[in-house]
Amino acid sequence: MTDTPHSAHLDFQLLFDQWEKRADVSKADTCLYRDLINRIKGFPDLNQSPVDPEALKKEGNFLGFGLILGSLFPMSGQEEKRILALSAPFDMQPIYSTPAFKELFLNEDCSIKIPENLDVNRINFGKMLNMYSRIVDQVYGIKMNQGHPLVFQYRAPNGINRHFQIRMNFQYVKVIAKGPLPNIHDKNQICTSTSPDHYDLENWKKILPLSLFEFRGFLLLEADEITVSQSVATLNEAVLNQEEISPREFADVVEDSVKSLIGISDIKVGLASLQQVKGKLVFSKNRLANSYILKMLCEDRSDVPYTGVINFLSAIQKPVLLNELSAENPESKFMSKVVELGVKEVILYPLKYKGNLVGLLEICSLRQNAFEPIMLHHLDMLAPSLSIAFNKQAELLDSKIKSIIRKKFTAIHPVVEWKFDEIALDYVLDEEQGKTPEIPPINFQEVFPLYAAVDVKNSSQERNNAIQRDLLIQLGLAKNVLEKARTLHYLPLLDRMLEKIGEFERRIQLILASEEEVRITEFFMLEFEPTFKHLSETYPDLQPSVQEYFQAVDPQIGVVYIHRKAFEESLKEINLLVGQYLDREETKIQRMFPHYFEKFKTDGIEYNIYIGQSLVKDRVFDPIYLKNLRLWQLQTLIDIVNLVQEKSPSLDVSLQTTQLILAHSNPLTISFRIDERKFDVEGAYNIRYEIIKKRIDKALIKGTNERLVQPGKIAIVYSQPKDAKEYLDFIQFFQNRQLLKESVEELELDDMQGVHGLKAIRVAVVPKRNLNQDGASELVSESEER
């Protein structure tokens, strides 16, 4: 908005008229006005209407202008402190200002400075609003809402931000019409119905152009410093918007507020989050990122004991001013690192929320005698807001912890949490009414199950082979020690021990039973190793051989752990790869429709999904979501095959996975078992579904010894033809995208204990290397875009 031209003139007649009204020589408080009236008549230039501003610069008019100012601003020797000015109506260049006003708000040419926090358009808007408020009030008798006062931000030479609110007194401004005016009887005629704030200036300018009016008189300006309240308000705003600004930006707001409150710029201001979990303070790099002192004390290279810092903080009950920091001062001994940086004084202000310590405000000075005890009271104004801010951080941390607990350690999935909240609320309300509440059955009916498993091929055999190789290595090392000892020293017992080693080698090369592994491990720990230690201490020439043996043995588990470690690490990497991929993709598919998801880790990864209307509260379930979830299930297994094939060559032990889906189209009921904190199926028919899940990973193709599950392929087990039809349609979808091979096997399975009549579809995955960085295929990315 640009400044609209207007007509305004300096005039003191309204002031003189007020003198006339108040002049009463019979009273001490008003007789002065009669004297002012008589004396001002001796200055004809000031009695003109309007007054020429240049007349005020004439030495002969100084006394007359002084009489006017004295009646408006009774200084009483406060000219240097009060922030006052006088100008023609709506003029941005005052004709008079006190030294304080001039220093703060005027440029070299005595025009008003545009403050850092305001722009020209906003100032012009306020100016126009005040003009039209005077017009509609004086001419039409319509009272309008006033605009918000302008707050000026001023940076003092010492670097401190100060804030001022300028009050404008329009008492001596008169509106004069230059000619005929529009007839307006109601504010609705000049304020559109779409402008409830009545600030429709563009409409006002059309109906009542400023060229129809003239402003006469003068405007009084007085600035009040509101640095304290504005600093607190700015901090409060930052607290409210804490999630929308960075921690560094929030710390900058706090630093600026602290400096403004205590009036010192050359200080260091730090913030430390001191959240507690189960009574223990939580320290971390992120939570101390904006700290100045604690970050220094708790860094890795600091020799200050961690417990000492905690004890000191725990002892702080109220703000502390340490103004004699030195290495010899016992009170500040733990702050020796701070002293080394030249810090002379420190204010530590503990921030508490409902009595609990949530944070620490640190203020440091590099010079002596900078702080005074009164400053602690100034900081009291910031403490409540800062405490709320840090408590919000604590609540966020607590929320994250609970989220992790729900997701990682309990069966209460976020999707069904609403149900548990309702039951818990009813429980609490019953308790409050003196009843003895009971937890009712927690059932979810008519939900559709999905199950899939990614298992490491021959994991048990691979593990046994690794254990066997490790045991043979350990037996070989033990044999070397015994044979060398026998050649150097006559000890008949060594022959018997060598015979036992030979027996162990023969047995485990044939077959390794778990009992044999335990027996050999016990023999090493109870007989071999005590003997080896004795031989090493007694015969120095055997020390190198004994040392070689013990260097090969893992000190944590007491056995050679080379091949087993390679297998376990490889298995761990495969499970981590598959698990993290499923977590990412499942999070995405949750946005499609909320569903219950639980994942289990054995020598692979398997998961259950339940989806249906009873699981959600505010959504409407449709079978299309179930169909989409089954398509997603097949899609993720395709990606997992490629992920594992890409990862396998880089592993210590090359591993392959098998992929299995159980198709089950009939809905079932699941219930939460409080004693085991997990969901289980209800009903005899539904239990059969659970039995099938436990059996099918070892299923054989009917009439053969061939396992259904094979590396590089996906097997889909079903019992109803409609399930096969749906998955065959999905398979064709992926075949068209060259993700699955053309050949599809439709198979019958051998009967298993308690399970009969199952069939399966098996299809091979087309090897694909061009996976994106997240491990998702191109199809996943395409579906996300859609």
Side-chain angles (χ1 to χ4, degrees), residues 475-489 491 493-501 523 528 531-532 535 542 545:
L475 288 169
L477 290 170
K479 183 189 292 185
N480 290 339
V481 175
L482 294 174
E483 287 178 343
K484 187 171 184 180
R486 187 178 61 174
T487 60
L488 296 176
H489 308 282
L491 294 169
L493 179 63
L494 301 182
D495 292 330
R496 177 55 187 152
M497 297 181 75
L498 281 168
E499 287 182 7
K500 284 190 176 181
I501 288 177
F523 185 74
F528 277 17
T531 301
F532 290 170
L535 291 174
L542 294 178
S545 299

Side-chain angles (χ1 to χ4, degrees), residues 571-589:
L571 179 65
K572 180 181 177 181
E573 287 196 45
I574 289 290
N575 282 339
L576 186 64
L577 176 73
V578 174
Q580 289 181 342
Y581 168 78
L582 282 174
D583 286 340
R584 287 196 305 269
E585 297 305 308
E586 201 279 327
T587 299
K588 297 174 186 176
I589 203 67

Side-chain angles (χ1 to χ4, degrees), residues 61-177:
N61 291 324
F62 284 177
L63 179 58
F65 190 38
L67 294 173
I68 292 172
L69 294 176
S71 70
L72 295 170
F73 310 136
M75 296 298 187
S76 302
Q78 301 181 45
E79 292 85 349
E80 297 297 326
K81 296 181 180 179
R82 297 192 66 178
I83 311 172
L84 304 165
L86 183 149
S87 73
F90 309 110
D91 192 350
M92 296 293 286
Q93 193 159 356
I95 58 175
Y96 167 79
S97 59
T98 62
F101 191 99
K102 184 179 298 184
E103 178 187 355
L104 292 169
F105 303 118
L106 298 187
N107 295 309
E108 290 293 331
D109 61 355
C110 291
S111 61
I112 297 286
K113 293 179 184 176
I114 303 300
E116 298 175 6
N117 62 315
L118 297 176
D119 57 30
V120 175
N121 286 337
R122 184 176 176 189
I123 292 176
N124 287 335
F125 179 89
K127 179 178 177 180
M128 292 284 292
L129 181 61
N130 283 319
M131 286 182 182
Y132 276 105
S133 296
R134 307 282 81 72
I135 290 172
V136 296
D137 182 9
Q138 294 186 27
V139 178
Y140 295 103
I142 298 174
K143 300 291 185 182
M144 304 301 296
N145 294 336
Q146 297 298 305
H148 298 292
L150 295 181
V151 175
F152 280 49
Q153 179 175 296
Y154 165 74
R155 184 173 290 276
N158 63 0
I160 300 296
N161 280 335
R162 299 172 66 187
H163 297 84
F164 299 86
Q165 178 178 309
I166 294 185
R167 291 184 287 111
M168 299 183 184
N169 186 335
F170 298 98
Q171 179 182 358
Y172 301 105
V173 175
K174 182 177 182 180
V175 179
I176 300 174

Side-chain angles (χ1 to χ4, degrees), residues 378-422:
H378 295 332
L379 295 173
D380 289 343
M381 299 179 186
L382 297 182
S385 298
L386 287 175
S387 298
I388 291 173
F390 280 112
N391 184 65
K392 286 174 67 176
Q393 292 184 17
E395 289 177 344
L396 179 61
L397 175 63
D398 186 60
S399 176
K400 288 180 179 179
I401 292 172
K402 289 180 179 177
S403 175
I404 293 297
I405 291 173
R406 287 195 302 267
K407 186 174 182 180
K408 302 293 184 181
F409 307 117
T410 75
I412 303 178
H413 193 278
V415 168
V416 295
E417 194 175 27
W418 63 270
K419 182 72 172 180
F420 292 85
D421 287 343
E422 289 183 350

Side-chain angles (χ1 to χ4, degrees), residues 641 657-660 706 710-715 745 762-765:
V641 170
T657 59
T658 61
Q659 292 67 225
L660 175 66
E706 181 185 349
Q710 296 293 333
K713 296 183 178 182
I714 299 173
E745 302 173 88
R762 190 167 66 182
V763 61
V765 175

